[in-house]
Amino acid sequence: MAHPLMHTYGRLPVSFSQGHGAWLKDTDGQSYLDALSGIAVCGLGHAHPSVTAALQEQAARLLHTSNLYGVPLQEELAGALCPRTGTDAAFFCNSGAEANEAAIKLARLHGHRRGVTTPRILVMDNAFHGRTLAALAATGNAKAQEGFGPLPEGFERIPFDDLAAVDRAAADYDDIVAVLVEPIQGEGGIRVPASGYLAGLRERCDRNGWLLMLDEVQSGVGRTGRWLASQHEGVSGDVVTLAKGLANGVPIGACLARGEAAEILGPGSHGSTFGGNQLAACAALAVLNTLDEEDLIQRAEHLGKRIQTGLRERLADEPGVLDIRGRGLMLGIELDRPCSDVVTRALDEHLLINVTAQSVVRLLPPLILTDDEAEQMTDQVAGLIRGFLRDAR
């Protein structure tokens, strides 16, 4: 009999049965330090008591009605997110891809209302915005797009962190209506743009009447040491998308907008059956309250600097390490060769990490990581990279 699951994932040979804090326990009872947190999802770690209590209470009361009716918890969540992100209104869905789909539709309506019949969105090389068709078309990864054509049109791809490329596109096309960009590219290899890049995008969007749309699906919700990664540069987006860390594992996405952009989507123009239902909204509110009560965003910044310093000290004499970069607890170590083997070596040592862009070891640990756990993770990662590079010589 064929496997009952479609083979859409290259799964590692481990399954987990429970978790607590930064640790997961597999089905054989072995413990693993989770330095990936479900790819930036479980920022509060596993089984955080505040999220567990909120979910238990809400599950006993009401899970779902419909967006046909008022959802007070959803309104409360929007009221909590907007001031944190400098926006005015929220649309809730189930994932980052759906949040970006909403942003793309919003940008196209913005264009049509301005009389642009074929609105074009500037997107970046090596970007990742999701696997639904429009989000995939916006994604700058040819391998992810391979075999799925024809993809939706209306995207103009330019190099990331290159304001001159934005100016050339502005000169070449009069139908640009928006820029969609990750403030830090996650799947693209934890790439942090030069200081002034986001401000430069903001200025050009203002000058040309474009929307600046910030994909903070991976970098948002405090992971980088600010609520949004773009806040490190003091830049506000007209549209901001969130998802991964928003509800600590309960599926939710958000497309937030400000000013005129907040008024573009109306009844019938977009929707979601499950988006922002009572269960997801109560989990997200518990996450927001816990981030504040435990001062975890400031801790992410502190821990990130400490881990980066520790990795640089331990790997200073390794010529195969090209760069150690990131912000807060969104960290990458770029090697001079493909390094997917590091993931399986880490698994053998009961450490969960990830490799992205083929040669970048990616660390996305939970924000509740203790000092001792951060030290253990730094030691293990440095040792794994040393061993991998030594064996590859």
Side-chain angles (χ1 to χ4, degrees), residues 325-347:
R325 57 180 178 250
R327 276 188 168 145
L329 294 177
M330 186 176 183
L331 299 165
I333 306 122
E334 184 173 5
L335 307 187
D336 65 353
R337 68 202 71 188
C339 59
S340 59
D341 285 355
V342 176
V343 175
T344 52
R345 288 171 177 242
L347 189 66

Side-chain angles (χ1 to χ4, degrees), residues 145-168:
Q145 296 174 337
E146 187 177 342
F148 294 109
L151 295 172
E153 298 179 345
F155 300 96
E156 185 66 27
R157 194 170 313 288
I158 59 175
F160 180 62
D161 199 12
D162 185 345
L163 290 173
V166 180
D167 293 335
R168 288 194 295 273

Side-chain angles (χ1 to χ4, degrees), residues 309-373:
T309 299
L311 288 169
R312 289 196 176 99
E313 289 173 351
R314 290 163 173 80
L315 296 170
D317 59 349
E318 281 291 348
V321 177
L322 301 181
D323 195 13
I324 296 170
R325 57 180 178 250
R327 276 188 168 145
L329 294 177
M330 186 176 183
L331 299 165
I333 306 122
E334 184 173 5
L335 307 187
D336 65 353
R337 68 202 71 188
C339 59
S340 59
D341 285 355
V342 176
V343 175
T344 52
R345 288 171 177 242
L347 189 66
D348 290 341
E349 295 191 14
H350 291 193
L351 174 69
L352 304 180
I353 61 172
N354 175 247
V355 164
T356 190
Q358 296 191 331
S359 60
V360 179
V361 176
R362 179 169 54 170
L363 304 177
L364 299 164
L367 279 60
I368 49 82
L369 202 69
T370 68
D371 289 349
D372 287 345
E373 290 164 345

Side-chain angles (χ1 to χ4, degrees), residues 63-186:
L63 292 181
H64 176 85
T65 49
S66 165
N67 282 308
L68 289 173
Y69 313 107
V71 183
L73 284 171
Q74 186 182 118
E75 294 170 16
E76 185 180 346
L77 177 59
L81 285 174
C82 288
R84 286 170 167 84
T85 56
T87 56
D88 297 318
F91 167 80
F92 291 108
C93 47
N94 305 293
S95 69
E98 287 184 59
N100 285 329
E101 288 276 341
I104 290 165
K105 289 180 68 175
L106 189 157
R108 289 191 172 187
L109 270 180
H110 166 73
H112 283 291
R113 289 182 183 181
R114 294 165 59 92
V116 180
T117 55
T118 55
R120 189 185 304 263
I121 300 173
L122 290 185
V123 294
M124 308 301 159
D125 287 342
N126 299 314
F128 186 85
H129 299 296
R131 295 185 185 275
T132 53
L133 277 179
L136 187 63
T139 287
N141 183 326
K143 185 177 178 182
Q145 296 174 337
E146 187 177 342
F148 294 109
L151 295 172
E153 298 179 345
F155 300 96
E156 185 66 27
R157 194 170 313 288
I158 59 175
F160 180 62
D161 199 12
D162 185 345
L163 290 173
V166 180
D167 293 335
R168 288 194 295 273
D172 289 343
Y173 303 103
D174 60 6
D175 54 3
I176 298 169
V177 297
V179 175
L180 176 61
V181 64
E182 297 161 278
I184 299 175
Q185 288 192 332

Side-chain angles (χ1 to χ4, degrees), residues 197-284:
Y197 174 64
L198 294 177
L201 289 180
R202 177 72 274 172
E203 187 275 328
R204 283 157 178 80
C205 285
D206 289 340
R207 189 197 322 158
N208 292 292
W210 305 340
L211 299 178
L212 178 58
M213 306 201 298
L214 302 173
D215 178 345
E216 297 257 12
V217 167
Q218 188 168 142
S219 59
V221 198
R223 174 150 293 280
T224 69
R226 298 285 190 280
W227 229 93
L228 300 174
S230 51
Q231 291 171 346
H232 288 278
E233 302 292 329
V235 171
S236 298
D238 301 294
V239 179
V240 177
T241 56
L242 298 175
K244 287 180 178 292
L246 189 51
N248 216 53
V250 177
I252 189 171
C255 177
L256 302 142
R258 68 170 184 164
E260 181 185 344
E263 306 295 328
I264 291 175
L265 294 176
S269 62
H270 200 50
S272 171
T273 295
F274 298 105
N277 74 6
Q278 284 84 346
L279 194 72
C282 90

